[in-house]
Amino acid sequence: MRSSPGGGGAVWKTLSDDPVVNVASRYGGISLANQRLMGLNNIELISDRSLADNLKEIAQVKKEFPHHALIASVMVASTQEAWHEVIKKIQDVGVDGFELNFGCPHGMSERGQGSAVGQVPEYCEKITRWAKEVATVPVLVKLTPNVADIVPMGRAAKRGGADGISLINTINSIIGVDLNSFAPKPSVDGLGSHGGYCGPAVKPIALNMVSALASDPELNANGHMPLSGIGGIKSWQDAAEFILLGSTSLQVCTAVMHKGFGVVKAMTRGLEDYMKEKGFNTIADFCGKSSTRIKKWGDLNLNYKVVAKIHEEKCIHCGICYASCEDGCYQAIDWTKMPKEEYAAKFGEAKKSRADQNAPAMALAGASTEPTKAAPPVDLFTIKTDTCVGCNMCALACPVEGCITMEEIPTGKSKMSWNDYQKMLAEGKIEKIQPKRTGAALT
């Protein structure tokens, strides 16, 4: 048994009055470049140990760590009797709260539990109310992301009496297929099943859903509904983003499974430094600070303009920006070749990219292996500012941090959203904006 350095507590693996039988293997992962476990898929179910054994250990842990919060995750059959009985048994050993698992998308959902509850507002409300009828400690509801709109589920939890909401649980998924054996991953005797996807790859989805609940007027009508943010948190920056969008607490699982409890200590140190830098004394000082900046698309300013700028002193001439823009976006980058001596006189010595950094299938000047007496010219990439739409793609694709930035171009026009535009059109106060005649995006 080890405590988590810097952590405020723990959520116990989901308990039931009827232990499950799990399978092997249970996990599958996706790596991206040098990032192991960018995404993690699991087909593991809830605790496969008896409720009695779990309760004995919960009591022991709470005794050894009395000042840390211990939350019991719970999932049982959808009957009032079952929920009443298990809540009473668990709270008798001294847990500090409950988390009702309405999110698991595999195995348990097929038994009418987990996401089968979290996908139906009426079920979510009813079972939350059953738990609250007997619970003497706070009750959180853990929501599934496998819904079209998270807000009705959050509102249902509130109507049922939830003291807080945790989100997100895992996303329904198949992680991949072994191309040699043809078995899905993870494989159980050559077969597989859909499972729950988590890890850094799901963070954008989690942030969107946290933001949706944090900004919902009905959910927060009587004060801010406490939200426990979950989903891909592996660094202090991730943690800060969740807090800025309205999370009042955070849960970390995949990162701990990957690298141990030490990641939590690093997060707390980083958050402390960030708070000092920004002048925040408490988490509450910046919790939800970015929520008011999340708007519907129709409220964004159509007259705001940015264009890309390539900082030549940082360019490694890999051609990624050109290939990305030319083949996938708006054809807003020119590619020319400049004699090496002329380039050096104008910009200084040209930096070189590694072969693995170059855009594929491009005849870059430095890519030829043929012997030549003359120094090869330098590939020069420049932004066509009259064509650039400010999409950001080149800056995102560039392998050199800060080599391409997006620069604001004053338009001299007043702010105008799509909603404003439609209103002014209807009132005859503005001419219809004509479509652009240059560039052609694929999307």
Side-chain angles (χ1 to χ4, degrees), residues 33-299:
N34 295 323
Q35 172 66 59
R36 297 286 288 175
L37 292 183
M38 178 58 67
L40 176 70
N41 169 280
N42 85 90
I43 58 172
E44 185 173 78
L45 303 182
I46 60 178
S47 177
D48 52 13
R49 299 186 306 128
S50 73
L51 182 60
D53 285 346
N54 274 298
L55 295 183
K56 181 179 178 181
E57 291 184 4
I58 287 174
Q60 181 183 354
V61 169
K62 192 60 191 172
K63 182 178 180 181
E64 294 193 25
F65 302 99
H67 304 298
H68 288 71
L70 201 162
I71 309 298
S73 176
V74 187
M75 183 194 298
V76 295
S78 298
T79 69
Q80 186 179 36
E81 181 182 4
W83 278 95
H84 279 191
E85 184 176 346
V86 78
I87 292 291
K88 289 176 182 177
K89 283 183 179 178
I90 296 171
Q91 70 185 4
D92 284 346
V93 299
V95 297
D96 299 294
F98 291 101
E99 183 179 79
L100 312 186
N101 187 341
F102 296 167
C104 183
H106 58 278
M108 304 310 295
S109 57
E110 295 154 18
R111 307 177 195 187
Q113 301 176 35
S115 63
V117 174
Q119 290 171 327
V120 182
E122 294 79 9
Y123 296 168
C124 182
E125 178 182 349
K126 179 183 289 187
I127 295 178
T128 303
R129 183 171 289 113
W130 289 345
K132 284 291 293 179
E133 286 170 353
V134 294
T136 58
V137 292
V139 172
L140 302 176
V141 171
K142 188 173 186 178
L143 296 180
T144 177
N146 300 294
V147 293
D149 185 355
I150 197 69
V151 172
M153 309 307 160
R155 292 175 179 176
K158 180 182 179 179
R159 289 194 301 270
D163 299 292
I165 294 170
S166 56
L167 73 164
I168 59 173
N169 207 311
T170 55
I171 299 170
N172 208 5
S173 62
I174 292 176
I175 199 76
V177 177
D178 187 298
L179 299 182
N180 294 313
S181 70
F182 315 121
K185 302 175 183 179
S187 175
V188 182
D189 195 20
L191 303 177
S193 181
H194 64 94
Y197 192 53
C198 55
V202 311
K203 188 185 82 169
I205 299 168
L207 289 175
N208 177 53
M209 292 190 171
V210 165
S211 171
L213 293 190
S215 59
D216 180 55
E218 183 176 324
L219 187 66
N220 301 285
N222 300 317
H224 183 65
M225 170 65 79
L227 301 176
S228 189
I230 310 167
I233 302 173
K234 66 180 180 63
S235 67
W236 72 262
Q237 293 95 332
D238 298 330
E241 287 178 315
F242 272 85
I243 295 168
L244 285 166
L245 287 176
S247 294
T248 51
S249 66
L250 306 171
Q251 295 184 37
V252 181
C253 183
T254 305
V256 170
M257 292 172 70
H258 187 190
K259 295 187 177 180
F261 286 134
V263 298
V264 178
K265 188 173 184 179
M267 287 179 198
T268 56
R269 283 201 304 262
L271 270 178
E272 288 170 355
D273 291 342
Y274 172 74
M275 290 171 66
K276 289 177 183 176
E277 177 189 334
K278 298 297 183 183
F280 301 135
N281 295 315
T282 68
I283 294 293
D285 289 343
F286 66 106
C287 181
K289 195 173 182 65
S290 295
S291 291
T292 57
R293 293 173 178 256
I294 306 295
K295 303 294 184 182
K296 294 187 182 299
W297 190 94
D299 294 324

